[in-house]
Structure formats: C-alpha cells, structure tokens
Amino acid sequence: MTAQEKLAEERDGQKNARIERILLAAFSLFSHKGFDAIAMTDIAKEAEIGVASLYRYFETKDEIAIRTAIWAWESQENLILPILNGSNYFSKSGREQLSQIFDLFCKLYQNEPDFFRYIYFFDAYIVCQKISPDRLEAYQKIIQSVQKVIGNAIHKGLEDGSISKQFKDCENQLYFSLMHTFFSVSQKLSLSGKMLKMDESNDGVQQLKLLGQILLGGIK
C-alpha cells in the first residue's frame, strides 16, 4: 500500500467515524424530542461538528432522518439476527420460533426503548413531509430482511402444524397483523407507558410477554 493509499484509508476511517457520530446524535435527539423540534444546527451541536461539515455529509433534514432510520434498524438487526441463526432456533417449530422472536422484541423494548420511539416519530415525519416511497427503498430493504425471517417462521409453522391451517392463504397478512400489533404496543409503552398514575403499577415487559402469549394462542 502506498503512502497516498494509506492517507486515503485514514481519511475514510475519519469520515466513517464522523458519520457514525452524526447518526448517533440525530437518533438521540429525534427519539427524545421528535422531528419538528430539531434543526440541523441542533444535530451539528450534539455531534460536536460544524454546521457546514454536517451539510457536507447530509444536504437536508429528510436525508439525515432516513439514513438514521436505516442505521437504527441495521443496529438492531445486527443484534437480533445472529441469535436467530443459531442451530437451536432452526430445530424449533414455526410457532416456537415466533415465540423466540417475540421474546427478542421484549428484550429490545427493555434495553433499547429509544428505537421504538424513533421509528414512531420517523413514521409520523415521513407522512407529514409526504416523502415518496422511492426515497425509502433502502429503508424498506432493511425492514424486509427482518420480515423474511419472521415470514419463514410463519411458513414453517403452517407446514409443521404448529400454526393453524386457517391462515394458510394469508401468510403475508398474518405477518403484518402479528408484527404491527406487537410493534405498536412496544411503541406505545416506550412513548407513554408511565404517563398516568394508573400506569405506575403496569410493567411494560410483562404486558408485552402477555401480548405475545395471546397472539401465539390465537394462531395455534
């Protein structure tokens, strides 16, 4: 490797580290304050870089919002998928695989509630800004990689009989029904789980575990 190549590699490393810092800053701000309250200057300050430097990497707030959403899903995917690739997972029935997936989402809620908050605020921002689906293709792709794993569990359950055959002609809709329900409750709990006094006695993790049991019981 030449001296020039080494210098270029070092610069790439610095660039990647700076982008990572920007995404982390944007994630923290957006997940706690929503999108409307945050300006590019706030992100630059949180990331400890100049505003001009921020605009060199991300030209608009829309761009950084989408890239941060992809980054957030990639981070969780890197934690979840290796667990689901273990040999023990593949030896389970389809319904048992779904149960393990629900358990992982419970742990995700417990350890990374800001992830659910970010996705909630991000969805609202995308709708309000009327951002076209074409601009969300990379974001959709990362979600589909998770959908594939869950869809495979549903398909296996239908084949091995651990999931009722009545759902055989609506596998895709079953996926959305299960995951939208579980994901929406996780978002609700992460946003306002302790908003009222009556909520103080409720345990979010236990609620999600109970919900998982209800959903799994409904497809048995």
Side-chain angles (χ1 to χ4, degrees):
M1 181 181 292
T2 65
Q4 186 175 5
E5 289 173 333
K6 288 181 180 179
L7 180 60
E9 186 178 75
E10 182 178 341
R11 286 175 177 170
D12 286 342
Q14 292 174 345
K15 176 182 177 181
N16 291 336
R18 181 169 290 186
I19 291 175
E20 182 78 11
R21 198 162 72 245
I22 292 170
L23 295 175
L24 183 59
F27 177 80
S28 178
L29 290 171
F30 289 144
S31 63
H32 285 89
K33 298 183 179 181
F35 284 75
D36 292 341
I38 301 301
M40 294 290 274
T41 51
D42 298 316
I43 298 172
K45 182 178 179 180
E46 182 75 11
E48 299 181 342
I49 64 172
V51 177
S53 295
L54 176 60
Y55 277 104
R56 280 201 296 269
Y57 295 110
F58 300 98
E59 295 182 358
T60 65
K61 184 176 173 180
D62 290 354
E63 185 182 346
I64 195 171
I66 295 170
R67 184 63 188 88
T68 303
I70 295 170
W71 173 85
W73 268 105
E74 286 176 339
S75 299
Q76 303 314 319
E77 182 187 47
N78 291 336
L79 292 173
I80 293 173
L81 293 189
I83 298 174
L84 299 183
N85 284 328
S87 58
N88 184 50
Y89 173 79
F90 290 107
S91 66
K92 295 180 177 180
S93 70
R95 188 167 169 274
E96 288 172 337
Q97 288 180 348
L98 280 179
S99 178
Q100 185 171 345
I101 291 169
F102 286 157
D103 285 343
L104 287 174
F105 270 92
C106 284
K107 292 177 181 177
L108 180 58
Y109 161 77
Q110 188 173 24
N111 298 324
E112 302 287 344
D114 285 354
F115 169 72
F116 292 103
R117 292 173 61 89
Y118 183 91
I119 299 304
Y120 174 85
F121 289 130
F122 175 74
D123 287 353
Y125 179 77
I126 292 301
V127 173
C128 290
Q129 293 297 108
K130 298 181 180 179
I131 294 176
S132 70
D134 290 343
R135 296 181 62 190
L136 299 172
E137 286 186 357
Y139 177 65
Q140 176 177 283
K141 185 176 180 180
I142 190 69
I143 296 176
Q144 285 176 326
S145 65
V146 177
Q147 178 183 354
K148 182 178 179 181
V149 173
I150 301 171
N152 286 341
I154 292 173
H155 183 75
K156 182 177 183 180
L158 290 168
E159 292 295 316
D160 64 27
S162 60
I163 294 177
S164 174
K165 299 294 185 182
Q166 67 176 299
F167 301 107
K168 191 171 181 60
D169 295 329
C170 55
E171 286 186 41
N172 196 47
Q173 292 306 312
L174 179 59
Y175 160 79
F176 284 114
S177 297
L178 292 173
M179 296 314 300
H180 280 175
T181 301
F182 204 87
F183 206 89
S184 295
V185 173
S186 299
Q187 288 180 319
K188 165 65 177 177
L189 291 171
S190 66
L191 284 163
S192 56
K194 299 295 183 181
M195 184 176 69
L196 303 175
K197 288 184 177 180
M198 64 184 291
D199 298 322
E200 294 177 358
S201 61
N202 293 324
D203 185 297
V205 175
Q206 291 302 317
Q207 288 183 55
L208 288 176
K209 287 184 177 180
L210 178 59
L211 175 61
Q213 292 174 9
I214 293 171
L215 293 175
L216 290 170
I219 63 174
K220 186 175 181 181

